[in-house]
């Protein structure tokens, strides 16, 4: 165990890489002035909370799963203004989409056969979707220092729909 911690610290120091719980690594360029967009925050916004704790950066979350909203309201209220979240789902196009929320798992999906909703009782409802490009207007920002996406199978279609001028405003994915 000690050897792993030593190797991790050595790697972080020499390569300017940070390891963020639960399971992310990033280039250590963030500061308190950074803008972090956390798509698919989950019920506890753990990624955003760790970024805030480590860097003091402002985090904006996007989470459509209705049962998470009450807890995310509490987290936002306790963040000192460093975490704000929106109830939109991020997709490859704007509109309304059918969303499947599992009663047992901690996340939902646009796909009723996704592992998070398969073999489980689900609640179905429509959610409003926005694109990555829309996020810049909603947040009134010119760049995103770090974009984290955990959107249960939708990542590839969202990434392929980003126009080059928008993609160039995202410094780290």
């Amino acid at each position: 165990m000690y050897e792993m911690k030593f190797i991790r610290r050595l790697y972080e120091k020499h390569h300017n890489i940070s390891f963020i719980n639960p399971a992310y690594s990033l280039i250590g360029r963030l500061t308190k002035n950074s803008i972090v967009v956390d798509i698919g925050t989950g019920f506890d916004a753990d990624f955003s909370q760790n970024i805030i704790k480590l860097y003091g950066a402002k985090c904006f979350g996007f989470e459509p799963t209705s049962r998470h909203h009450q807890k995310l309201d509490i987290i936002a209220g306790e963040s000192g203004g460093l975490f704000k979240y929106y109830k939109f789902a991020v997709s490859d196009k704007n509109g309304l989409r059918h969303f499947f929320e599992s009663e047992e798992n901690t996340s939902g999906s646009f796909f009723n056969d996704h592992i998070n909703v398969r073999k489980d009782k689900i609640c179905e409802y429509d959610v409003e979707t926005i694109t990555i490009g829309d996020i810049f207007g909603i947040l009134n920002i010119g760049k995103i220092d770090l974009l984290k996406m955990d959107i249960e199978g939708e990542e590839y279609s969202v990434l392929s729909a980003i126009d080059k001028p928008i993609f160039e405003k995202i410094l780290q994915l």
Side-chain angles (χ1 to χ4, degrees), residues 17-18 42 49 56 60 103 105 121 130 133 139-140 146 161 163:
I17 301 287
S18 297
Q49 290 194 76
F60 298 95
E103 285 189 5
N105 288 300
K121 188 171 181 183
I130 60 169
L139 301 180
N140 194 26
L146 176 63
D163 294 331

Side-chain angles (χ1 to χ4, degrees), residues 7-9 25 27 33 38 40 54 57 91 104 115 160 173:
I7 291 169
R8 182 174 168 169
R9 277 195 304 263
S25 60
I27 299 169
N33 298 315
D38 182 356
L54 288 171
S91 186
E104 297 297 320
I115 193 166
S160 66
L173 178 63

